[in-house]
């Protein structure tokens, strides 16, 4: 059985990922975050093997949210080679998320 070695930090995850990384910054109390969650899940399924999709709860990881200047949620950021290539705040429909990601990965 093989196991994946997970990065020890968010920055390491971004630096070592061979795939682009899509990050959904959210919180449990955020209604729009819950509204966009199915679209983010579908994005992960659509780009399986081509995109790494993760969710960062800003209440549990405030240092990461602060580092990226997250002032409203949901905020979604697409990283490639640890660099931000796209960023948006607000709940977007799947079709728009899919289009934006497809043009950038």
């Amino acid at each position: 059985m093989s196991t994946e070695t997970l990065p020890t930090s968010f920055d390491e995850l971004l630096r070592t990922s061979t795939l682009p990384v899509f990050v959904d910054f959210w919180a449990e109390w955020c209604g729009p975050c819950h509204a966009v969650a199915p679209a983010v899940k579908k994005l992960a399924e659509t780009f399986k093997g081509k995109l790494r999709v993760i969710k960062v709860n800003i209440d549990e990881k405030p240092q990461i949210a602060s580092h990226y200047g997250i002032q409203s949620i949901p905020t979604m950021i697409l990283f490639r080679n640890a660099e931000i290539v796209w960023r948006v705040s607000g709940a977007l429909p799947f079709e728009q998320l899919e289009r934006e990601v497809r043009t950038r990965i």
Side-chain angles (χ1 to χ4, degrees), residues 24-34 36 56-59 65 69-76 87-91:
D24 175 18
F25 290 91
W26 74 289
E28 189 63 44
W29 48 263
C30 169
C33 296
H34 289 283
V36 79
V56 173
N57 184 319
I58 65 164
D59 291 332
I70 305 302
Q71 295 182 350
S72 65
I73 53 175
T75 291
M76 293 160 277
R87 178 182 178 136
V88 68
S89 293

Side-chain angles (χ1 to χ4, degrees), residues 4-95:
E4 177 183 358
T5 303
L6 297 176
T8 57
S9 73
F10 184 78
D11 289 334
E12 184 179 348
L13 179 146
L14 295 178
R15 280 193 320 273
T16 61
S17 180
T18 58
L19 300 174
V21 179
F22 180 93
V23 183
D24 175 18
F25 290 91
W26 74 289
E28 189 63 44
W29 48 263
C30 169
C33 296
H34 289 283
V36 79
V40 172
K41 182 178 180 181
K42 188 174 179 181
L43 194 72
E45 294 165 359
T46 300
F47 290 99
K48 186 175 183 177
K50 297 178 182 174
L51 181 71
R52 189 170 192 175
V53 176
I54 63 170
K55 295 174 74 70
V56 173
N57 184 319
I58 65 164
D59 291 332
E60 295 173 1
K61 303 287 184 183
Q63 69 283 9
I64 296 172
S66 176
H67 178 78
Y68 289 99
I70 305 302
Q71 295 182 350
S72 65
I73 53 175
T75 291
M76 293 160 277
I77 302 177
L78 179 62
F79 295 88
R80 190 173 51 231
N81 300 320
E83 298 292 326
I84 296 172
V85 295
W86 182 69
R87 178 182 178 136
V88 68
S89 293
L92 299 179
F94 168 76
E95 292 76 16

